[in-house]
Amino acid sequence: MDRQEIVQWLKCSPGEELDSLREKADQLRRLSVGDEVHLRGLVELSNICSRNCSYCGIRRDNLSIKRYRIKTEEVLRCAHKAVKFGFGTLVLQGGEDPGLTKEFISDLILRIKTETDLAITLSLGERNVDEWQEWRKCGADRYLLRFETSNKDLFHRIHPPQEGQPQCDRVAMLKTLQALGYETGSGVMIGVPGQSYDDLARDIELFAELGLDMIGVGPFIPHPQTPLGMKENVKMAAEQVPNSVEMGLKVLALARIVCPGANIPSTTAFATLDRKSGREMGLCWGANVVMPNLTPVEYRKLYEIYPSKAASTETPEQSRDAALIQIKHLGRTPGRGRGDSPTHLEQLTKPIRKEG
Ligand code: 5AD
């Protein structure tokens, strides 16, 4: 698929053509990763963030939220809950919080790995190679870092660098993570002000070029306490992509088509914009993963990267039950085991084949 063809899919109107995109993605999903829907228990470790991204509700300059950092013992309780619920993976996500030190995270990984068989996915933003290396040594399996948009100007505008630091290169960081042996995930927001159709098509091409093991996408949701949530600041692209559920679903489908073996979640952004059927629609448009939230309820509403985030008052049990009901309703089955990405497993066996 070339860029022009991707743009055409992104612009196609509801009807037969769009139905065929969904069917193609759903069929490829079934052939490549099957009918199992993997459940990943999500723990939001900290909403403290040293960065000031203009789209994100937990940005440094948002003084209107109460900040928290979870304690190790609390994360361990979440890990045991994940095991009890039959999940194969724990996702540890957080802002770029200097208090989530290399040692704190290393200790957490070691303790989870000692006490459970869970796979561990980290989603802790831009960190040093030294930290990534150490966490990998401790047993972390996967790392998520969305590049957000492949348009460098737009990325730099919405993602200012750390004070006194040069602009970062997330694509180079993803390659570093891959070289360290992480199963590597990335993704973008859809419909950020300033994002054109061509930009978004390029994002999808980049998923394929990077050979991602995991891809997370979701529509941009304006947060009123951020620059991009205030109308007067917003500069649209000439060919602006809408931040709609429909556009998000098209990107999900195209992500599945360009990376058939990737693990692709139906993200919370879809469930937030369409409470009734957002999650299920994602699973019908190419997704094969859901991430029920295991964060203790008292912290959950504080991790507001965008407003009215779905499931922000649910208990972990309710999040699990909702996911299981949706999976059953679609005639799919909850995944068993760790749910590693077939793309990554293929890569691992390559050198062995060569030697043999
Ligand atoms: N709308 C949608 N997605 C957002 N994210 C952050 N803020 C928003 C928002 N306002 C996404 C980013 C980030 C991920 C954790 O959440 O893509 O990488």
Side-chain angles (χ1 to χ4, degrees):
M1 231 182 341
D2 64 15
R3 183 108 47 107
Q4 233 15 65
E5 203 180 330
I6 299 177
V7 169
Q8 269 173 18
W9 282 119
L10 293 172
K11 287 186 174 172
C12 88
S13 321
E16 265 175 42
E17 202 188 352
L18 189 55
D19 292 346
S20 77
L21 179 67
R22 191 199 73 73
E23 277 156 26
K24 192 167 159 184
D26 196 41
Q27 197 178 14
L28 254 181
R29 186 269 307 153
R30 193 174 316 117
L31 286 173
S32 316
V33 292
D35 276 333
E36 286 193 342
V37 177
H38 298 292
L39 296 154
R40 321 290 200 204
L42 175 65
V43 188
E44 294 155 335
L45 299 183
S46 165
N47 70 350
I48 300 169
C49 193
S50 59
R51 305 305 290 265
N52 221 8
C53 302
S54 59
Y55 49 87
C56 184
I58 65 170
R59 69 199 301 269
R60 187 190 62 210
D61 286 355
N62 183 3
L63 303 180
S64 67
I65 52 170
K66 197 175 135 211
R67 303 285 174 166
Y68 76 90
R69 183 182 309 125
I70 206 167
K71 300 224 168 9
T72 299
E73 295 306 323
E74 293 176 297
V75 186
L76 289 171
R77 279 200 288 277
C78 298
H80 286 290
K81 205 163 260 187
V83 174
K84 190 173 116 202
F85 288 177
F87 300 171
T89 298
L90 200 65
V91 181
L92 305 177
Q93 186 173 87
E96 287 186 28
D97 171 3
L100 295 177
T101 60
K102 176 166 106 174
E103 293 71 27
F104 177 89
I105 298 294
S106 297
D107 172 65
L108 199 52
I109 297 166
L110 289 172
R111 293 190 59 184
I112 295 168
K113 287 287 177 177
T114 311
E115 295 181 25
T116 75
D117 287 329
L118 293 166
I120 296 180
T121 304
L122 302 176
S123 176
L124 301 171
E126 298 168 11
R127 310 287 303 223
N128 298 325
V129 178
D130 174 45
E131 295 173 306
W132 285 334
Q133 203 159 19
E134 184 62 25
W135 297 338
R136 180 82 188 113
K137 264 197 226 145
C138 292
D141 301 275
R142 310 183 186 132
Y143 204 95
L144 299 174
L145 182 69
R146 291 190 182 181
F147 60 77
E148 313 294 0
T149 170
S150 57
N151 175 333
K152 287 221 160 66
D153 286 345
L154 178 59
F155 180 70
H156 294 162
R157 239 185 297 144
I158 65 177
H159 184 80
Q162 293 271 37
E163 245 142 78
Q165 297 287 320
Q167 219 10 291
C168 69
D169 179 348
R170 285 204 174 178
V171 172
M173 291 182 181
L174 288 164
K175 290 181 181 166
T176 301
L177 290 162
Q178 287 174 325
L180 289 171
Y182 281 101
E183 249 188 81
T184 304
S186 192
V188 297
M189 286 179 290
I190 295 144
V192 178
Q195 183 185 48
S196 70
Y197 282 91
D198 198 62
D199 293 334
L200 187 53
R202 171 74 196 121
D203 296 346
I204 294 165
E205 283 183 328
L206 191 52
F207 295 162
E209 281 166 31
L210 286 167
L212 296 174
D213 305 305
M214 303 173 284
I215 303 172
V217 299
F220 163 69
I221 303 173
H223 188 301
Q225 258 95 43
T226 64
L228 283 185
M230 300 170 190
K231 286 230 157 43
E232 61 275 19
N233 291 327
V234 170
K235 200 172 132 234
M236 295 295 182
E239 282 229 294
Q240 174 65 44
V241 171
N243 60 336
S244 61
V245 171
E246 183 184 296
M247 187 57 62
L249 294 171
K250 287 179 182 174
V251 177
L252 253 186
L254 291 163
R256 172 60 66 200
I257 292 167
V258 299
C259 293
N263 280 325
I264 303 183
S266 179
T267 55
T268 309
F270 288 102
T272 299
L273 290 176
D274 184 337
R275 296 217 170 230
K276 204 167 139 267
S277 42
R279 164 89 69 66
E280 288 192 27
M281 282 196 289
L283 290 172
C284 296
W285 283 75
N288 70 319
V289 170
V290 294
M291 296 167 66
N293 200 325
L294 300 183
T295 310
V297 178
E298 74 246 51
Y299 301 131
R300 221 188 258 221
K301 53 185 177 306
L302 303 175
Y303 200 84
E304 243 203 11
I305 50 182
Y306 44 77
S308 315
K309 201 166 136 232
S312 65
T313 55
E314 273 177 14
T315 63
E317 283 74 12
Q318 287 167 329
S319 294
R320 171 206 55 188
D321 290 345
L324 289 176
I325 289 168
Q326 286 160 336
I327 292 166
K328 191 158 175 223
H329 184 230
L330 295 173
R332 310 259 283 270
T333 48
R336 276 163 305 162
R338 291 165 38 114
D340 292 313
S341 136
T343 310
H344 188 72
L345 293 174
E346 250 171 52
Q347 298 258 318
L348 289 180
T349 54
K350 263 187 202 155
I352 299 170
R353 269 195 219 125
K354 261 189 221 149
E355 278 160 23

